[in-house]
Amino acid sequence: MLNCRYIIVLLAVFISSLTQARAQIVSPERDQVLDVDSVKKAFDDAPYFGLYKDNYFIFGPAIGMKPTKYNTNVKFQISISQRLTKRTLPFGSYLYLFYTQKCFWDVLRKSFPMTDLNFNPGIGLTKPLFVKDRFIGKVSLILEHESNGKAEEDSRSWNRISFAGNILIDPTMMVHGKIWIPIVDGENNRDLLDYYGLYQFGITYMTPSKRFGGSIILTKRKGWNPFNFNTVLELSYKLFNNENQYLFMQYYNGYGEGLLDYKTFKSQLRVGICIKPQFFSEY
């Protein structure tokens, strides 16, 4: 159980990341994003520190059972990236340091315990993709670690080499995928892949005005069953035209939402606020 001082520190980091995001999240128009020169300039001149995945703070109950203080909680995610190279590397790539922290917070219980914190640092190469003078997405090769920072029987830990790609089908729709080579070294989560999965893919849609968006992310769990997916559905609605803050809804259905209870099936609906990266969200 975390003390109040640690909670305050975490909230301060989260608020700081939102403040940093506001400074960089006035996104260019979609046509400008797809232009080669604009994108290259954005990559070269962008702040070294920025957002990586969605940053959100959401709250809600379990679905399919009576809501209680034990199955209704806050989930928040802080995700940032730091570009480590001033110039492009061979093949037009950039070297980044990534960090994502995901937390589950039982705010309805006495003393407000944070029941599970997942730490996910990584380092990798990202290459923007261009076809016929148009920006169509990017690919990344990342070395990642993920653990929950706990000891003994509650300890969860693993590593992976991930290959990820994001491809813009048109100015409003993106498909994305990620596959990993796992190195499961945690003593208490040897069967993690049975629940967490081996690869993921999904599709994201955003209206031309970028006011409303939706996405579905499917993660294939280990096994021959072709339908054993962990599923995430997300909807977002932009609050202000000139900023990148969204009302956000996320529905999670499956296993492996958090490391501590990765074997527990979850069906959870949460709503809140989200700030997204400049080009598109990572998953």
Side-chain angles (χ1 to χ4, degrees), residues 10 30-31 36 39 51 68 97 104 106 110 115 127 150 154-155 157 159 172 176-177 185 196-197 212 218 224 229:
L10 284 173
R30 176 65 70 178
D31 288 342
V36 170
V39 173
L51 300 184
T68 70
L97 184 67
F104 299 88
D106 287 357
K110 186 178 180 179
T115 55
K127 174 180 172 56
K150 293 182 179 291
D154 288 334
S155 175
S157 177
N159 305 285
T172 63
H176 52 87
D185 57 353
Y196 191 93
F212 177 80
L218 301 174
W224 293 105
F229 288 96

Side-chain angles (χ1 to χ4, degrees), residues 32 35-47 83 94 130 278-279:
Q32 291 178 327
D35 175 75
V36 170
D37 292 335
S38 298
V39 173
K40 287 182 176 179
K41 182 175 177 61
F43 270 90
D44 290 338
D45 297 342
R83 185 155 60 98
Y94 300 80
F130 303 96
Q278 180 180 12
F279 291 110

Side-chain angles (χ1 to χ4, degrees), residues 73-122:
N73 61 12
V74 163
K75 176 184 178 182
F76 66 84
Q77 178 170 281
I78 302 167
S79 187
I80 56 176
S81 65
Q82 172 75 30
R83 185 155 60 98
L84 300 177
T85 52
K86 183 175 182 180
R87 299 180 182 274
T88 58
L89 298 175
F91 307 104
S93 62
Y94 300 80
L95 181 64
Y96 283 89
L97 184 67
F98 303 109
Y99 179 75
T100 300
Q101 181 171 313
K102 181 169 58 178
C103 179
F104 299 88
W105 189 7
D106 287 357
V107 295
L108 300 182
R109 293 172 57 190
K110 186 178 180 179
S111 78
F112 310 107
M114 290 188 178
T115 55
D116 192 15
L117 280 80
N118 298 174
F119 307 93
N120 180 206

